[in-house]
């Protein structure tokens, strides 16, 4: 058992034993290699089955929306930023939460690990920063840092920005020459290339909405794509309707997206949906000097109004 | 039982020959995504990677399908009269379909082709289709088809079963449709039946042994009361974990639910059906605004109850899950139907 897992179990069990929270939200071991299961623990015994590894990729803030209990929650850097969003957007209150912060060294990119093998992966083990991956016929030791998810590679907030306790000493934050190389590459395409890029990107989308449902920002009781009266968008596989879903969802995340990668993680078709939201992350930073989910004191730029706004149209 | 042997060197030539008589569908990998698609004239089924993310159900039941169309042009004689569009139902063959997916087709048929009601779109596509299966020599870790009435070499729903025997395929011809396909492809080398059946049996045993002993049980599901299962305590925790996307139902070869939508563009009107999912809150929303499955727990329970109990009770044809393992593999939060099935099978209510 790794040190993080041990500490998470200890802290969560204690919280429950001491009655400081009604439940703790964490990850349990999955039933197939490279899978973890977001789960609830209501007793110290249940909390003793929590795990932590490089597959705890989903964002647990997603499970907080409108809950009324007193909650303990395990949060890596990005989860903590979405918890901040949730608090700012009144989806949960700070007083309800006991945040067990996890200084994160990145989550792994499953598609690129799978791509190393012809056969399916039958075993996955983590030994520190080394990953041991097995198939029926093959076995590889790889360095975790070479197989990080794209969002983890450019993450500048690996340490939780808000927490009540940390499971370990903070990790060193990454320094990056240019975190937005990917966005710039798309910006530099001409119109046709860019159109083709997004066309190909969405080719295999089956509109299952796993991306939306895994995203902590997407908590509307009825999403615009589901609304039937009035109906805003067609529900079939017509490419214009598929695009409309993705464009609008991305805009609803503008200034709020923490680049946690849960959307991509959840997609059964491995569609890189962050190609949409990344541009908005970059624009928020460049236009408003804003990074989502870092402070409890300010609302995101697109839902605030300033009397001294430099643009005249708003007055 | 006739067994044909096909040298793999002749495979593409035969596939090409069959294109004259059939539209071919098969597993292909595009953009890193493997799925069943209609093959382009120069495309061959990827027989090395037939375990597709999406099941072949879309061959008979496309995700979006036009049911009716009409013109709204008031000067046209037939304006506003909905008519079924012309669809090409000439012979199709699905190459490389896995045995569990073929069983799924047989189960879906129970719903779309009944004495009271016959879904013309599905049934016409079904009648046009020949299913040329490919046995599973190396079952994946999520394949539990042997527990669900199918298996790596099962024949239900197939017109022929190909068995990969190294340099050649041994093909069991199961129906006249299968026979017709092989003759169109020019595959006519009859193998020594006893010898090849023995070889097939060996490969089958090997595959089943690799799957290990049965670990999913369905034997007690039929005797359970629906109400007891409904009240079982495990739905709450499953519902907590579930993010209520539709992934499990969209990848499932037996999920058959759809939603009907009308769309207009200029003077043309169309009625479509799109796959729908009981995971969506809108699925059961009534016109009145009432929603009998408004809570996530109710929706999560519905999926498993339908697959493992309601279907079983209604049709007496086993469970509606064929054990393909796709939902286990693709659920973003790893909700595993194998575990849920065992919980349901062993559930005893507290008196
Ligand atoms: S999760 Fe993937 S397939 Fe599903 S709607 Fe989102 S992008 Fe499309
Ligand atoms: S849009 Fe994607 S990356 Fe952004 S917060 Fe939502 S799940 Fe995370
Ligand atoms: S795929 Fe998993 S998370 Fe999505 S609806 Fe199905 S069970 Fe729930
Ligand atoms: S319920 Fe899951 S395992 Fe069963 S047939 Fe459907 S996708 Fe396959
Ligand atoms: S009710 Fe749900 S589980 Fe049953 S077929 Fe429809 S979508 Fe699938």
């Amino acid at each position: 058992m790794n040190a993080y897992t041990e500490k998470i179990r200890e802290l969560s069990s204690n919280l429950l034993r001491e009655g400081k929270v009604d439940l703790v939200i964490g990850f349990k071991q999955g039933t197939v290699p490279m899978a973890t299961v977001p789960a609830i623990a209501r007793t110290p015994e249940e909390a003793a089955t929590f795990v932590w590894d490089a597959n705890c990729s989903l964002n647990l803030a997603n499970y907080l929306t409108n809950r009324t209990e007193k909650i303990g929650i395990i949060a890596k850097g990005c989860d903590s930023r979405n918890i901040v969003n949730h608090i700012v957007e009144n989806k949960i209150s700070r007083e309800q939460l006991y945040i067990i912060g996890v200084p994160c060294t990145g989550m792994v990119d499953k598609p690129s690990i799978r791509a190393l093998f012809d056969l399916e992966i039958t075993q996955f083990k983590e030994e520190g920063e080394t990953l041991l991956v097995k198939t029926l016929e093959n076995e590889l030791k790889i360095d975790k840092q070479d197989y990080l998810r794209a969002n983890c590679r450019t993450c500048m907030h690996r340490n939780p920005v808000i927490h009540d306790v940390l499971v370990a000493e903070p990790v060193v934050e990454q320094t990056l020459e240019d975190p937005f190389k990917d966005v710039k590459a798309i910006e530099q395409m001409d119109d046709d290339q860019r159109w083709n890029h997004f066309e190909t990107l969405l080719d295999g989308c089956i509109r299952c909405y796993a991306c939306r449902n895994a995203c902590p920002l997407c908590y509307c009781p009825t999403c615009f794509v589901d609304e039937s009266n009035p109906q805003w968008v067609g529900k079939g596989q017509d490419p214009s309707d598929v695009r409309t879903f993705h464009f609008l969802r991305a805009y609803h995340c503008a200034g709020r997206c923490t680049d946690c990668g849960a959307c991509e993680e959840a997609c059964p078709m491995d569609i890189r949906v962050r190609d949409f939201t990344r541009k908005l992350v970059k624009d928020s930073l460049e236009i408003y000097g804003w990074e989502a989910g870092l402070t409890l004191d300010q609302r995101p730029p697109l839902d605030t109004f300033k009397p001294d706004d430099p643009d005249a149209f708003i007055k | 039982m006739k067994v044909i042997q096909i040298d793999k060197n002749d495979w593409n030539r035969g596939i090409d020959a069959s294109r004259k008589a059939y539209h071919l569908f098969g597993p292909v990998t595009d953009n890193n995504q493997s799925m069943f698609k209609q093959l382009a004239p120069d495309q061959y089924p990827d027989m090395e990677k037939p375990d597709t993310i999406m099941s072949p159900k879309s061959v008979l039941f496309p995700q979006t399908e036009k049911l009716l169309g009409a013109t709204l042009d008031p000067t046209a004689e037939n304006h506003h009269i909905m008519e079924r569009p012309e669809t090409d139902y000439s012979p199709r063959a699905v190459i490389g379909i896995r045995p569990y997916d073929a069983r799924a087709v047989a189960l879906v048929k129970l719903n779309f082709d009944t004495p009271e009601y016959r879904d013309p779109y599905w049934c016409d596509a079904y009648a046009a289709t020949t299913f040329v299966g490919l046995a599973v020599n190396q079952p994946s870790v999520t394949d539990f088809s042997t527990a669900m009435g199918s298996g790596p070499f099962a024949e239900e729903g197939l017109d022929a079963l190909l068995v990969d025997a190294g340099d050649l395929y041994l093909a069991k011809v199961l129906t006249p449709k299968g026979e017709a396909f092989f003759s169109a492809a020019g595959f006519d080398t009859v193998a020594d039946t006893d010898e090849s059946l023995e070889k097939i049996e060996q490969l089958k045993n090997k595959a089943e042994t690799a799957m290990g002993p049965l670990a999913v049980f369905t034997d007690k599901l039929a005797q359970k009361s629906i109400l007891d299962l409904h009240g079982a305590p495990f739905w709450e925790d499953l519902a907590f974990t579930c993010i209520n996307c539709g992934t499990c139902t969209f990848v499932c070869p037996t999920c058959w639910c759809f939603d009907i939508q009308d769309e207009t563009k200029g003077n043309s009107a169309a009625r479509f059906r799109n796959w729908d999912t009981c995971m969506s809150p809108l699925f059961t929303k009534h016109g009145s605004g009432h929603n009998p499955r408004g809570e996530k727990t109710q929706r999560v329970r519905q999926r498993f109850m339908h697959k493992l109990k309601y279907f079983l009770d209604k049709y007496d044809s086993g469970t509606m899950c064929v054990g393909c393992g796709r939902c286990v593999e693709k659920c973003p939060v790893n909700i595993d139907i194998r575990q849920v099935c065992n919980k349901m099978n062993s559930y005893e209510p507290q008196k």
Side-chain angles (χ1 to χ4, degrees):
Chain A
M1 199 195 319
N2 66 46
Y4 277 26
T5 297
E6 213 165 323
K7 195 75 188 164
I8 285 170
R9 289 181 180 180
E10 179 195 320
L11 289 167
S12 337
S13 303
N14 286 346
L15 277 181
L16 288 161
R17 196 170 296 116
E18 292 158 15
K20 286 197 180 141
V21 296
D22 303 320
L23 54 97
V24 184
I25 300 173
F27 287 99
K28 292 188 180 164
Q29 190 60 54
T31 61
V32 292
M34 299 203 284
T36 57
V37 184
I40 215 164
R42 291 194 173 80
T43 62
E45 293 70 38
E46 282 173 340
T49 63
F50 279 160
V51 295
W52 190 267
D53 65 15
N55 294 307
C56 295
S57 315
L58 287 181
N59 190 325
L60 294 183
N62 194 31
Y63 291 92
L64 289 178
T65 311
N66 297 340
R67 288 203 85 97
T68 51
E69 307 95 324
K70 187 112 174 59
I71 299 167
I73 182 164
I74 318 296
K76 54 190 180 290
C78 47
D79 302 37
S80 77
R81 293 172 65 192
N82 281 91
I83 294 176
V84 168
N85 276 337
H86 256 55
I87 297 171
V88 171
E89 297 178 7
N90 296 322
K91 290 285 109 191
I92 194 94
S93 77
R94 179 67 183 96
E95 295 66 46
Q96 268 173 278
L97 297 176
Y98 190 95
I99 303 167
I100 301 178
V102 180
C104 178
T105 55
M107 296 288 139
V108 295
D109 185 56
K110 292 170 194 158
S112 61
I113 296 184
R114 285 194 194 108
L116 290 172
F117 305 96
D118 282 336
L119 296 177
E120 85 181 312
I121 293 170
T122 50
Q123 225 194 73
F124 177 94
K125 251 173 69 188
E126 237 175 294
E127 284 154 8
E129 292 291 293
T130 306
L131 311 173
L132 182 70
V133 197
K134 279 190 193 171
T135 69
L136 276 183
E137 286 171 9
N138 212 338
E139 178 177 331
L140 275 184
K141 269 194 174 164
I142 53 178
D143 185 351
K144 177 172 125 181
Q145 294 303 321
D146 297 337
Y147 289 90
L148 291 186
R149 296 190 298 171
N151 62 307
C152 298
R153 273 184 260 133
T154 55
C155 171
M156 308 286 251
H157 302 281
R158 292 178 147 189
N159 293 299
V161 299
I162 181 178
H163 57 80
D164 295 293
V165 60
L166 286 178
V167 302
E169 288 299 310
V171 294
V172 181
E173 294 290 357
Q174 309 190 88
T175 43
L176 295 170
E177 213 173 285
D178 181 2
F180 292 111
K181 278 194 191 129
D182 55 331
V183 187
K184 287 177 187 160
I186 299 174
E187 285 171 347
Q188 273 150 19
M189 294 176 182
D190 67 30
D191 290 358
D192 284 343
Q193 285 171 325
R194 195 151 58 221
W195 182 260
N196 284 335
H197 174 79
F198 286 111
E199 281 269 280
T200 327
L201 184 77
L202 293 181
D203 235 4
C205 174
I206 55 169
R207 289 188 82 174
C208 62
Y209 302 139
C211 49
R212 174 196 70 183
N213 289 23
C215 175
L217 305 174
C218 284
Y219 54 62
C220 292
T222 307
C223 175
F224 76 94
V225 268
D226 291 330
E227 189 63 74
S228 53
N229 187 19
Q231 185 167 321
W232 305 106
V233 49
K235 307 219 179 204
Q237 285 302 90
D238 190 284
S240 63
D241 294 322
V242 178
R243 277 177 222 139
T244 306
F245 159 59
H246 283 284
F247 296 168
L248 260 84
R249 190 185 96 78
Y251 273 104
H252 289 182
C253 300
R256 303 164 68 225
C257 171
T258 61
D259 208 22
C260 74
C263 45
E264 278 187 1
E265 186 66 36
C267 175
M269 310 307 282
D270 293 341
I271 293 173
R272 300 295 183 175
V273 279
R274 282 171 49 260
D275 274 13
F276 296 111
T277 47
R278 288 277 294 157
K279 164 73 173 155
L280 300 165
V281 170
K282 175 169 175 280
D283 285 357
S284 299
L285 188 64
E286 286 175 356
I287 302 172
Y288 306 106
W290 173 260
E291 279 184 278
L294 298 186
T295 165
L296 289 173
D297 307 324
Q298 215 179 326
R299 293 191 66 87
L302 296 188
D303 80 351
T304 47
F305 166 74
K306 285 189 184 151
D308 59 346
D309 194 293
D311 277 326
F313 73 90
I314 203 141
K315 292 178 184 162
Chain B
M1 165 73 59
K2 183 158 113 187
V3 181
I4 288 177
Q5 80 180 48
I6 305 164
D7 190 317
K8 282 192 181 168
N9 293 319
D10 296 334
W11 174 250
N12 282 1
R13 188 191 45 74
I15 289 293
D16 284 332
S18 74
R19 293 183 210 265
K20 294 191 190 76
Y22 296 86
H23 298 293
L24 297 186
F25 291 76
V28 289
T29 309
D30 264 0
N31 221 345
N32 261 332
Q33 298 159 335
S34 62
M35 54 184 99
F36 275 81
K37 280 194 177 155
Q38 179 156 9
L39 302 178
D42 56 353
Q43 201 174 22
Y44 298 92
D46 185 350
M47 302 296 272
E48 299 303 317
K49 283 209 167 46
D51 292 317
T52 50
I53 300 177
M54 304 295 288
S55 83
K57 77 174 164 188
S58 58
V59 177
L60 307 180
F61 177 36
Q63 183 164 4
T64 293
E65 182 170 27
K66 185 168 167 181
L67 302 181
L68 297 167
T71 172
L72 305 179
D73 175 3
T75 62
E77 206 175 303
N78 59 343
H79 71 90
H80 288 84
I81 297 181
M82 293 285 231
E83 278 158 17
R84 188 173 169 189
E86 293 280 335
T87 306
D88 185 354
Y89 290 116
S90 55
R92 320 170 169 187
V94 187
I95 316 292
I97 183 175
R98 293 301 208 178
Y100 46 68
D101 285 334
R103 169 166 165 84
V105 172
L107 296 185
V108 171
K109 189 169 186 295
L110 295 172
N111 182 55
F112 281 142
D113 188 7
T114 72
E116 304 83 43
Y117 178 76
R118 180 183 176 273
D119 182 288
Y121 307 92
W122 192 92
C123 290
D124 289 353
Y126 176 80
T129 308
T130 300
F131 297 95
V132 182
L134 176 64
V136 185
N137 282 353
Q138 205 165 60
S140 78
V141 291
T142 47
D143 185 338
F144 59 110
S145 54
T146 36
M148 309 312 264
S150 182
F153 283 62
E155 292 165 9
E156 182 183 9
L158 287 173
D159 296 302
L161 177 67
L162 297 168
V163 176
D164 186 333
D167 298 336
L168 46 83
Y169 290 115
L170 293 174
K172 275 181 153 177
V173 184
L174 303 168
T175 68
K177 268 185 167 179
E179 179 96 45
F181 176 81
F182 287 127
S183 95
F187 294 137
D188 52 11
T189 314
V190 179
D192 179 289
T193 310
D194 289 343
E195 204 177 295
S196 45
L197 287 181
E198 200 186 306
K199 175 80 192 152
I200 292 173
E201 196 57 28
Q202 276 170 12
L203 288 166
K204 177 180 173 207
N205 288 337
K206 200 171 150 218
E208 286 183 358
T209 312
M211 289 173 82
L214 280 196
V216 184
F217 301 97
T218 58
D219 52 317
K220 299 200 198 98
L221 287 169
Q223 332 148 181
K224 301 278 168 203
S225 104
I226 285 181
L227 279 182
D228 284 350
L229 286 173
H230 227 249
F234 44 77
W235 304 119
E236 281 290 334
D237 279 356
L238 277 174
F240 171 82
T241 299
C242 172
I243 62 171
N244 240 220
C245 58
T247 304
C248 49
T249 58
F250 280 12
V251 299
C252 179
T254 66
C255 274
W256 56 43
C257 289
F258 57 82
D259 176 38
I260 292 186
Q261 292 272 319
D262 288 348
E263 292 186 12
T264 58
K265 189 174 179 188
N267 263 340
S268 78
R271 175 161 294 174
F272 292 98
R273 71 168 163 202
N274 300 309
W275 289 354
D276 201 352
T277 165
C278 59
M279 293 292 120
S280 155
L282 276 290
F283 186 79
T284 41
K285 190 158 177 197
H286 294 178
S288 66
H290 171 64
N291 193 343
R293 291 205 286 268
E295 298 296 324
K296 191 160 72 166
T297 310
Q298 298 167 319
R299 298 191 287 276
V300 170
R301 177 173 59 202
Q302 160 64 20
R303 173 174 162 241
F304 292 110
M305 288 291 275
H306 188 206
K307 293 270 168 228
L308 303 171
K309 180 63 182 164
Y310 304 145
F311 179 90
L312 181 109
D313 287 358
K314 178 166 177 186
Y315 295 103
D316 193 22
S317 299
T319 63
M320 195 189 175
C321 168
V322 295
C324 75
R326 287 189 180 87
C327 60
V328 180
E329 175 74 29
K330 286 297 166 190
C331 168
V333 294
N334 187 222
I335 287 180
D336 191 327
I337 192 170
R338 297 172 296 185
Q339 289 184 328
V340 182
C341 185
N342 283 343
K343 277 187 185 159
M344 288 171 68
N345 194 59
S346 62
Y347 179 63
E348 296 292 345
Q350 304 286 316
K351 288 279 181 265

